[in-house]
Amino acid sequence: MADSYLGPSPLLKPSSLYTFPFTFSPFSGSPRSLSFSFMASNCCSARHCNCSSTSSSTTHQPSILVFSGGTAFNGVVEELKNLTTRVAHVLPVSDDGGSTAEIVRVLGGPAVGDIRSRCLRLSDQSTSEARAVRILLGHRLPLDPRRAKSEWYEIVEGSHELWQDVSKPYRETIRAFLAYFQDQILRRSDERFCFSNGSIGNFFFAGARIFFQSLDAAIFLFSRVSEIPAESFVLPVISTNERLTLGCELSDGTVIRGQNEISHPTHGSMQPIDKDASSTPALSSRIKRIFYMSSEGSNLLHEVFPTVNPTVLEQLRSVDCIVFGMGSLFTSICPSLVLLGVGETISSQSCPKVLLLNGTHDRETSGLSASCFVTAITGALNRTYGDPHNCLKNPPNKYVNTLLVPKNGQIPVDIESLASQGIFNVVTVDSFHDSKLGVLFDPKSLIQALSNLLTDERA
């Protein structure tokens, strides 16, 4: 159980806590003594900083923006570091499955599971303490609710063996936000929180977000605690403290509410999500469009139009390459594309715009060919089926001009249809077969293909 109540210091305004990079000083006495040492020499906001805090060795690295979800692209993140650390990872905040769903149900707010997952993949592993912090924040509690709750208390009290290689400053910093999360759970006496299969990283993230009342501040804190490269960004496509719900309309008019219900229905189970397409029933018809729905009030089918994170648009205007990552096409990639301003900005750039084609079909893409993937991305960016006043009419090659395809993949590569879309650069990349996930890109080969593409672009 939490040792004492944690709350924002009355001397600090939560809205200003993340304006500049800071270092933690260990908590002493009451956790209310949380203090930050601001580095006045830094010339710009931590979320946007790529100047004085960036070493000269990174200036020649290409800059890339990746639209992805929290699972599929994770497999190549480590290898991507060998090409560049100047990467902006744009992630959706609408995941409503597993541990994330329980946090959102009881405490509200956006889903942070995909963001936490990417931060951990980017985190430092060069020291025993860095590895220990990564293992701690990546730890999941047991499925059995009683065992999960018991282990959670050991962790939040600081007695669990996971703390063994974590130094006191890190331990007390992380524990403070875990304890704050626990306090928030206890305050919701009308809601019983289930710790089954809970992610410690998600709990830490949720505690930080509520403490700061800022998703951006929580990401900044998590990034510093997990020590991701300073020139790497993990960006929520929507910067919000509100809960967001994803919806989809099928071609037959059916509307499905909730990301998990669209891609991997779990019927409320806390079991780990099985992403094998054969384990879920097929959709009644193809997905026509993805949109956001209200999470509040009586009319839960009401469509809403959240605003894109302005930092995403800033990054899109300056990067050397835009990548649409592999993964769940409609529930991981498209939620970041349908927002006003994203299509306009991508279509105005002349850099390589690369689609990483999935190697295997899933529930969302059954029967689709490569050109259908391009059509779906184009439809999302053009907002083809949304408000007619907000629709664009850009051709597919304004959004995608290169296709990287895994060798021996299941998705048919219809070259003639791609050519009719204005896409002529199709590159086959080595792959391997995973017994659960099917055909996947070989990470080294994929990053080499991206490197070759960027080298040719600069030549």
Side-chain angles (χ1 to χ4, degrees):
M1 191 81 63
D3 296 327
S4 60
Y5 169 72
L6 291 173
S9 165
L11 300 178
L12 296 174
K13 295 181 179 180
S15 62
S16 66
L17 290 177
Y18 60 95
T19 305
F20 299 100
F22 56 83
T23 56
F24 293 104
S25 63
F27 296 111
S28 57
S30 167
R32 281 185 176 273
S33 65
L34 176 65
S35 61
F36 301 92
S37 172
F38 294 99
M39 297 187 289
S41 61
N42 221 313
C43 63
C44 54
S45 167
R47 288 191 305 155
H48 310 286
C49 185
N50 267 319
C51 50
S52 62
S53 65
T54 304
S55 67
S56 59
S57 63
T58 66
T59 56
H60 68 282
Q61 295 183 357
S63 57
I64 299 174
L65 184 142
V66 180
F67 291 104
S68 70
T71 303
F73 196 80
N74 277 347
V76 302
V77 167
E78 298 286 351
E79 190 63 35
L80 181 58
K81 292 178 185 177
N82 295 327
L83 172 62
T84 180
T85 54
R86 296 177 61 200
V87 183
H89 299 265
V90 179
L91 297 157
V93 289
S94 50
D95 184 15
D96 57 1
S99 171
T100 298
E102 187 68 359
I103 294 171
V104 171
R105 182 184 70 83
V106 176
L107 299 179
V112 298
D114 287 348
I115 295 170
R116 179 265 311 160
S117 177
R118 186 58 48 83
C119 284
L120 285 179
R121 286 289 179 148
L122 291 167
S123 64
D124 180 47
Q125 298 184 74
S126 62
T127 67
S128 59
E129 176 164 61
R131 291 189 292 273
V133 170
R134 178 166 173 162
I135 291 170
L136 170 69
L137 295 177
H139 182 70
R140 283 194 177 274
L141 300 173
L143 276 171
D144 178 76
R146 288 181 178 272
R147 288 181 55 216
K149 194 170 186 178
S150 176
E151 184 173 345
W152 163 246
Y153 285 152
E154 288 183 34
I155 291 172
V156 78
E157 289 170 357
S159 60
H160 197 283
E161 62 182 9
L162 285 169
W163 295 109
Q164 183 173 344
D165 293 324
V166 181
S167 65
K168 185 176 180 180
Y170 264 113
R171 183 170 65 251
E172 294 189 352
T173 298
I174 295 170
R175 276 192 63 213
F177 288 100
L178 294 180
Y180 188 67
F181 172 79
Q182 172 70 8
D183 176 79
Q184 296 300 301
I185 292 296
L186 293 176
R187 286 171 177 267
R188 272 68 168 184
S189 57
D190 56 332
E191 294 284 357
R192 188 184 182 96
F193 188 86
C194 179
F195 289 95
S196 177
N197 198 40
S199 162
I200 301 304
N202 282 356
F203 297 165
F204 173 78
F205 208 121
R209 182 192 61 78
I210 298 170
F211 178 90
F212 292 117
Q213 288 296 296
S214 166
L215 179 58
D216 288 336
I219 294 172
F220 176 61
L221 172 64
F222 198 106
S223 299
R224 290 300 178 263
V225 168
S226 58
E227 294 191 81
I228 76 168
E231 62 276 5
S232 296
F233 303 122
V234 178
L235 301 173
V237 72
I238 302 166
S239 181
T240 180
N241 271 330
E242 304 300 322
R243 177 181 178 182
L244 289 172
T245 299
L246 200 65
C248 87
E249 180 185 357
L250 305 184
S251 297
D252 63 6
T254 301
V255 173
I256 304 177
R257 183 177 185 273
Q259 177 175 323
N260 239 45
E261 285 302 307
I262 299 168
S263 59
H264 309 100
T266 60
H267 309 293
S269 170
M270 295 297 290
Q271 292 279 345
I273 296 172
D274 184 355
K275 299 196 173 183
D276 184 348
S278 63
S279 67
T280 56
L283 293 167
S284 59
S285 64
R286 289 186 179 182
I287 294 175
K288 179 179 179 181
R289 71 178 183 118
I290 288 289
F291 57 96
Y292 289 93
M293 307 175 75
S294 172
S295 299
E296 307 295 338
S298 57
N299 185 10
L300 295 179
L301 295 182
H302 177 64
E303 184 172 355
V304 295
F305 303 91
T307 303
V308 65
N309 182 349
T311 310
V312 172
L313 301 185
E314 290 174 20
Q315 290 293 314
L316 279 171
R317 296 186 188 105
S318 62
V319 295
D320 300 315
C321 180
I322 298 168
V323 174
F324 303 98
M326 58 286 196
S328 299
L329 174 63
F330 289 99
T331 55
S332 290
I333 310 302
C334 288
S336 296
L337 308 183
V338 298
L339 302 169
L340 191 67
V342 178
E344 288 86 342
T345 306
I346 293 177
S347 63
S348 69
Q349 304 306 302
S350 58
C351 64
K353 304 166 189 178
V354 186
L355 169 60
L356 308 183
L357 190 65
N358 289 353
T360 307
H361 281 299
D362 59 22
R363 170 176 156 98
E364 300 176 16
T365 62
S366 179
L368 299 189
S369 65
S371 65
C372 294
F373 274 67
V374 174
T375 297
I377 288 172
T378 303
L381 288 165
N382 277 341
R383 303 181 293 275
T384 302
Y385 301 104
D387 184 340
H389 298 292
N390 287 329
C391 292
L392 304 176
K393 298 185 181 297
N394 292 314
N397 63 356
K398 294 290 286 185
Y399 299 126
V400 177
N401 51 38
T402 299
L403 213 65
L404 298 187
V405 179
K407 187 177 181 180
N408 299 320
Q410 291 183 358
I411 313 299
V413 181
D414 43 348
I415 296 294
E416 291 186 2
S417 295
L418 289 168
S420 70
Q421 294 175 322
I423 301 168
F424 303 98
N425 191 18
V426 179
V427 180
T428 301
V429 177
D430 287 342
S431 66
F432 67 97
H433 188 273
D434 181 275
S435 58
K436 291 185 177 180
L437 301 176
V439 178
L440 302 174
F441 283 104
D442 172 72
K444 288 185 181 294
S445 299
L446 175 60
I447 300 309
Q448 184 59 55
L450 277 175
S451 177
N452 294 342
L453 179 67
L454 291 168
T455 300
D456 292 344
E457 180 72 11
R458 290 193 296 266

